[in-house]
């Protein structure tokens, strides 16, 4: 499969009911693209044609367009495709990633934006009474599927896997400090639909995060910014250790905490981080008001 032979037969444009449903879906997707992803009006027009009719952008004509948000990035390409067949989406993802027409920024910015949506956005406390910004957040409702497709084989450390393009990007760029957002999620009084679709609860995401963790033992000692982060690591790990999963029940947070505790107990980490976890479990680290964000 390649993008120059793109199969648009998944778009049932002759089916009035299908098209009406597609147009109704666009009404909820549009603000997420415009406000949540900062897509310009020019980009929105390109993406809308793809979403409604399966019309692909003219990548060659758009090759000189320099922007952090461009148009049909990899995330939008996969998310907005009508098929939810994993094999179909995987083939599309590989074709996009290996296409000579595609700019590498469309790959990495698409993946990076998706990850931020499932990490940082998913940890926000959408309290009642506050201005509700959830309607324009980067919500998909199917983050596990999209993560598996976009990230691909975890055994392969770079995009595109096995080469084949004029560029290469290190796959494992997840932030070590995203653990701060993990800890914040555990403080939320309520969980809304965006929280419930957080990436943290999925095994493949936590494996990806672990493989992105620093291996350099001087991570804290050689960097003043990292040194200042230590209290925040302590706070986040305290919350993970002491979160009441029995009271919580079977939620995204319970699934995350159980899996994360196992990783922290059984996997290797740089010694200072591992020591924080050991001290938290031993009661040597006490956090005042640990459940206040």
């Amino acid at each position: 499969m390649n993008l120059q032979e793109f199969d648009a037969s998944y778009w049932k444009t002759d089916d009035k009911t299908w098209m009406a449903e597609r147009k109704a879906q666009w009404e909820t997707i549009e603000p997420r693209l415009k406000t949540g992803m900062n897509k310009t009006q020019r980009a929105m027009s390109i993406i809308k044609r793809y979403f409604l009719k399966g019309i692909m952008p003219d990548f060659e004509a758009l090759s000189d367009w320099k922007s952090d948000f461009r148009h049909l990035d990899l995330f939008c390409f996969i998310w907005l495709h009508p098929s939810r067949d994993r094999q179909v989406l995987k083939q599309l993802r590989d074709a996009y990633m290996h296409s000579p027409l595609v700019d590498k920024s469309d790959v990495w910015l698409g993946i990076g934006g998706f990850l931020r949506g499932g990490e940082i956005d998913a940890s926000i406390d959408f309290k009642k009474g506050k201005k509700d910004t959830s309607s324009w957040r980067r919500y998909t409702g199917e983050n596990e599927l999209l993560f598996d497709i976009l990230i691909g084989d975890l055994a392969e450390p770079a995009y595109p896997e096995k080469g084949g393009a004029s560029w290469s990007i290190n796959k494992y760029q997840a932030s070590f400090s995203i653990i701060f957002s993990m800890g914040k999620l555990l403080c939320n009084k309520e969980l809304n639909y965006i929280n419930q679709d957080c990436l943290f609860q999925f095994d493949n995401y936590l494996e990806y995060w672990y493989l992105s963790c620093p291996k350099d033992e001087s991570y804290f000692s050689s960097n003043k910014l990292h040194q200042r982060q230590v209290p925040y690591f302590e706070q986040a790990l305290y919350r993970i250790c002491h979160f009441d999963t029995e009271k919580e029940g079977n939620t995204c947070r319970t699934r995350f905490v159980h899996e994360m505790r196992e990783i922290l107990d059984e996997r290797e980490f740089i010694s200072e981080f591992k020591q924080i976890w050991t001290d938290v479990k031993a009661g040597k680290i006490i956090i005042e008001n640990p459940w206040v964000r």
Side-chain angles (χ1 to χ4, degrees):
M1 183 185 294
N2 65 68
L3 294 189
Q4 292 164 312
E5 299 172 356
F6 181 72
D7 180 7
S9 65
Y10 291 93
W11 278 261
K12 302 175 184 179
T13 53
D14 294 331
D15 185 328
K16 292 183 179 179
T17 301
W18 189 89
M19 283 299 294
E21 291 174 352
R22 202 74 173 158
K23 289 177 181 178
Q25 291 171 6
W26 177 253
E27 296 302 315
T28 64
I29 289 170
E30 185 176 25
R32 301 187 189 283
L33 295 169
K34 187 181 297 183
T35 310
M37 298 175 62
N38 296 310
K39 295 294 186 182
T40 65
Q41 192 57 50
R42 180 186 182 192
M44 294 289 291
S45 298
I46 293 170
I47 297 170
K48 185 176 183 179
R49 286 197 297 271
Y50 171 76
F51 181 77
L52 294 180
K53 297 182 179 180
I55 298 173
M56 292 290 285
D58 185 340
F59 286 99
E60 191 168 359
L62 295 167
S63 61
D64 292 333
W65 183 4
K66 302 302 180 185
S67 168
D68 285 346
F69 307 103
R70 282 173 54 90
H71 49 90
L72 190 70
D73 58 50
L74 177 60
F75 165 63
C76 289
F77 177 63
I78 298 300
W79 175 39
L80 301 179
H81 192 279
S83 177
R84 281 302 168 262
D85 183 293
R86 282 179 175 263
Q87 189 58 32
V88 170
L89 294 178
K90 181 182 183 304
Q91 290 175 349
L92 287 167
R93 177 260 197 198
D94 291 346
Y96 187 103
M97 198 169 277
H98 286 89
S99 173
L101 302 175
V102 169
D103 190 286
K104 71 174 182 179
S105 66
D106 293 328
V107 173
W108 181 241
L109 291 171
I111 293 174
F114 164 71
L115 290 173
R116 286 191 298 275
E119 297 167 333
I120 296 173
D121 281 5
S123 71
I124 293 173
D125 187 4
F126 296 99
K127 293 179 180 177
K128 289 183 178 179
K130 293 179 63 177
K131 182 179 179 181
D132 183 9
T133 62
S134 59
S135 63
W136 54 261
R137 297 285 172 177
R138 195 183 283 101
Y139 171 73
T140 72
E142 48 189 3
N143 275 352
E144 184 174 24
L145 167 67
L146 291 170
F147 177 85
D148 291 347
I149 298 299
L150 293 173
I151 300 300
D153 186 355
L154 292 178
E156 296 286 344
Y159 304 114
E161 292 82 358
K162 305 185 187 305
S166 61
W167 52 270
S168 178
I169 302 173
N170 173 25
K171 181 178 291 188
Y172 296 112
Q173 296 188 34
S175 172
F176 189 34
S177 59
I178 203 65
I179 199 169
F180 306 157
S181 293
M182 295 174 178
K184 288 180 179 179
L185 177 65
L186 299 182
C187 296
N188 289 2
K189 301 302 181 185
E190 298 179 10
L191 299 178
N192 86 338
Y193 60 98
I194 295 179
N195 304 138
Q196 291 167 356
D197 199 33
C198 67
L199 287 170
F200 306 146
Q201 66 189 303
F202 304 127
D203 292 351
N204 277 353
Y205 170 81
L206 290 178
E207 183 67 19
Y208 168 78
W209 173 81
Y210 175 73
L211 290 170
S212 302
C213 289
K215 310 297 187 293
D216 183 0
E217 285 290 342
S218 66
Y219 176 84
F220 289 106
S221 62
S222 64
N223 187 301
K224 290 185 178 180
L225 173 61
H226 295 166
Q227 291 171 20
R228 291 195 293 271
Q229 290 177 339
V230 169
Y232 299 101
F233 278 103
E234 293 176 344
Q235 182 184 65
L237 292 177
Y238 184 96
R239 290 168 176 169
I240 292 168
C241 180
H242 294 283
F243 186 76
D244 190 343
T245 57
E246 289 190 13
K247 179 180 179 182
E248 174 80 1
N250 183 21
T251 71
C252 59
R253 298 194 295 192
T254 293
R255 291 189 288 275
F256 157 65
V257 166
H258 284 319
E259 183 66 22
M260 190 64 165
R261 286 172 181 169
E262 186 175 323
I263 290 173
L264 292 168
D265 283 340
E266 299 180 2
R267 303 288 190 92
E268 294 296 324
F269 288 92
I270 56 176
S271 56
E272 191 165 349
F273 180 81
K274 190 72 172 181
Q275 190 61 52
I276 295 172
W277 177 242
T278 300
D279 291 345
V280 164
K281 291 195 298 179
K284 295 180 180 180
I285 293 176
I286 304 299
I287 304 297
E288 291 187 16
N289 300 316
W291 308 110
V292 177
R293 290 170 66 96

